Amino acid sequence: MSKRDYYEVLGVNKSADNSEIKKAYRKLAMKYHPDQNQGDAEAEVKFKEASEAYAILQDKEKRAAYDQFGHAAVDGNAGQQGGFGFDFSSSQFQDIFDEFFGDSSFFGGGGRRRRTNNRGSDLRYDINISLEDAFHGKKFKVKIPTQISCTSCAGSGSAKGSQPVTCQTCGGRGQVRSQQGFFSIQQTCPSCQGTGSIISNPCNPCRGSGRVEKSKSLMVKIPKGVDDGSRIRLSGEGEAGVNGGQQGDLYIFVSVDDHNIFIRENDNLFAEVPISMIDAAIGGSIDVPTIDGGKARLKIPNGTQNGDQFRLKSKGMPSMRGSFTGDLYIQAKVETPVNLSKKQIEILESFKEESSENESPLSSAFFKKARDFWKSKN
């Protein structure tokens, strides 16, 4: 059986805008919703037909494809021919309606029972660690003030030997219904707060909440390579839920302290290392520190300039995303000697007299530009 045109189903023109499409669907959905037409198979078909039409026409891309290719573009079996491949089910029709109107109990019948969220609160714990701890990883114990499940009532909130009773206000549904003209509206029951039951004999230690205040200790593992601002989630280690509700989570927020030698960028480390003028000029070797507490031998080539950078492969931080390790970059900071002796000064003056422009190419190039500049002004 061929499908009817979606515009025909909703009773709108092809030029209809979203507000007109929405208005037409609202009218049909209220008319044919199964809760209003229990046992009417024809109404159920029309409700699904209208929901399918609305799902396509209210979406800009799906509507454009439908306008160009018709049902072939949105047929559930057309996915292999380049269509969208939408496959509508009964639950999807209901989801569309629920999203549009709210709870399916809008009409007062057969709606899903909604309960309040008794989940425990999430907790946050801030920790400061050193860059070395971030490199090696660290285990530490934290003590957290929290709400834990009451052992006396096992989290139920009822005194030992008793059970919660059905709420008389809502009859255990967790919702109450009120009539406002044509509409029947359901709301959370004010007596049981949506749980559907009342604790008639509350547990003394927890006063019926199912949880008590207590500090708990946890062993937390900080992984290698953790970066500043990282967040670690410990599922189920937050506060206990009310009356046996789901446990919240614990989030560990990590701050990595600044280091007095290294600067971190992602998985790489950077360090400025002073190099003597002599080593920079004639070359040499120096030992530089590494984040693991050791040292690495760095070869300084002759003619090294201030700011030159050298790479030590895999001497950076371990990556949290795999087995990769970053690099360590050493930046040369050529140091001019101070407090020279008379002999040292004489040696340097002798060196200066014997120096040529070829030995200082940067200086030579700069002062040539300066001379040309002064000449152009005369």
Side-chain angles (χ1 to χ4, degrees):
M1 181 179 177
S2 60
K3 290 184 179 180
R4 285 202 298 157
D5 179 80
Y6 287 147
Y7 294 100
E8 179 186 341
V9 170
L10 296 182
V12 296
N13 295 323
K14 286 193 173 183
S15 59
D17 59 23
N18 278 355
S19 63
E20 292 176 289
I21 291 172
K22 187 175 291 188
K23 183 178 179 181
Y25 172 64
R26 179 191 292 270
K27 183 178 179 181
L28 292 172
M30 292 175 64
K31 181 178 179 180
Y32 294 117
H33 193 278
D35 284 351
Q36 290 288 89
N37 302 273
Q38 295 187 17
D40 189 337
E42 184 180 353
E44 183 177 356
V45 170
K46 289 184 176 181
F47 172 71
K48 291 180 178 181
E49 187 180 43
S51 296
E52 180 178 334
Y54 173 72
I56 297 300
L57 299 185
Q58 59 85 32
D59 185 284
K60 185 177 179 180
E61 292 185 4
K62 297 175 187 176
R63 183 176 179 179
Y66 176 74
D67 287 345
Q68 187 172 1
F69 301 107
H71 288 293
V74 295
D75 193 304
N77 298 319
Q80 294 181 349
Q81 284 86 35
F84 282 98
F86 302 118
D87 186 15
F88 294 94
S89 64
S90 297
S91 62
Q92 287 173 305
F93 287 122
Q94 188 63 61
D95 289 341
I96 293 170
F97 186 82
D98 287 350
E99 181 180 352
F100 194 90
F101 291 99
D103 190 355
S104 61
S105 58
F106 183 80
F107 290 105
R112 294 188 294 260
R113 174 179 171 180
R114 294 185 181 267
R115 302 176 66 91
T116 56
N117 183 9
N118 292 339
R119 183 181 184 274
S121 298
D122 293 333
L123 297 177
R124 170 174 177 156
Y125 188 92
D126 296 327
I127 181 172
N128 284 74
I129 64 173
S130 67
L131 187 62
E132 291 94 326
D133 288 335
F135 174 82
H136 293 289
K138 182 178 181 180
K139 288 183 179 180
F140 63 96
K141 185 177 287 187
V142 297
K143 194 172 185 179
I144 303 171
T146 184
Q147 299 267 7
I148 66 171
S149 181
C150 176
T151 56
S152 180
C153 64
S156 70
S158 293
K160 189 174 292 186
S162 65
Q163 296 290 332
V165 297
T166 301
C167 175
Q168 297 301 310
T169 303
C170 64
R173 287 178 54 82
Q175 295 178 333
V176 292
R177 187 171 61 195
S178 59
Q179 193 79 25
Q180 293 184 6
F182 173 77
F183 299 105
S184 180
I185 301 176
Q186 290 201 27
Q187 298 173 317
T188 300
C189 176
S191 298
C192 66
Q193 303 302 315
T195 63
S197 60
I198 299 291
I199 296 176
S200 58
N201 186 17
C203 169
N204 283 330
C206 66
R207 299 179 181 178
S209 69
R211 57 184 191 171
V212 294
E213 291 186 8
K214 189 175 181 181
S215 293
K216 66 177 180 180
S217 295
L218 288 173
M219 185 63 71
V220 176
K221 182 180 180 181
I222 301 295
K224 294 180 179 180
V226 68
D227 206 348
D228 184 64
S230 294
R231 186 182 72 170
I232 300 170
R233 173 174 172 259
L234 301 179
S235 180
E237 295 295 352
E239 288 190 347
V242 177
N243 300 136
Q246 183 183 358
Q247 198 101 356
D249 299 328
L250 171 64
Y251 290 90
I252 306 292
F253 283 77
V254 181
S255 295
V256 180
D257 296 331
D258 292 337
H259 199 274
N260 61 357
I261 295 177
F262 303 106
I263 295 175
R264 180 177 184 176
E265 289 186 14
N266 298 320
D267 296 326
N268 295 322
L269 294 177
F270 295 81
E272 277 189 348
V273 176
I275 297 174
S276 73
M277 183 181 69
I278 306 301
D279 285 338
I282 66 175
S285 296
I286 59 172
D287 288 330
V288 296
T290 53
I291 189 61
D292 60 2
K295 57 187 177 182
R297 195 74 173 166
L298 178 65
K299 184 178 180 181
I300 308 297
N302 63 330
T304 293
Q305 301 297 312
N306 187 60
D308 283 355
Q309 200 171 73
F310 306 98
R311 175 189 176 205
L312 295 176
K313 191 175 180 181
S314 300
K315 292 296 183 180
M317 298 293 292
S319 174
M320 290 182 64
R321 294 171 290 279
S323 57
F324 172 79
T325 301
D327 302 324
L328 171 61
Y329 291 87
I330 301 297
Q331 188 173 43
K333 194 171 179 111
V334 179
E335 185 176 25
T336 302
V338 297
N339 302 321
L340 297 177
S341 67
K342 183 178 179 181
K343 184 177 181 180
Q344 288 173 320
I345 294 174
E346 290 174 352
I347 293 173
L348 288 176
E349 286 178 343
S350 176
F351 172 78
K352 181 179 178 182
E353 290 175 1
E354 295 184 14
S355 298
S356 67
E357 289 187 351
N358 292 334
E359 296 166 358
S360 304
L362 294 179
S363 297
S364 177
F366 174 79
F367 286 111
K368 182 180 182 304
K369 292 178 184 177
R371 287 192 295 270
D372 292 342
F373 172 74
W374 290 327
K375 189 180 297 184
S376 68
K377 299 302 177 184
N378 294 329

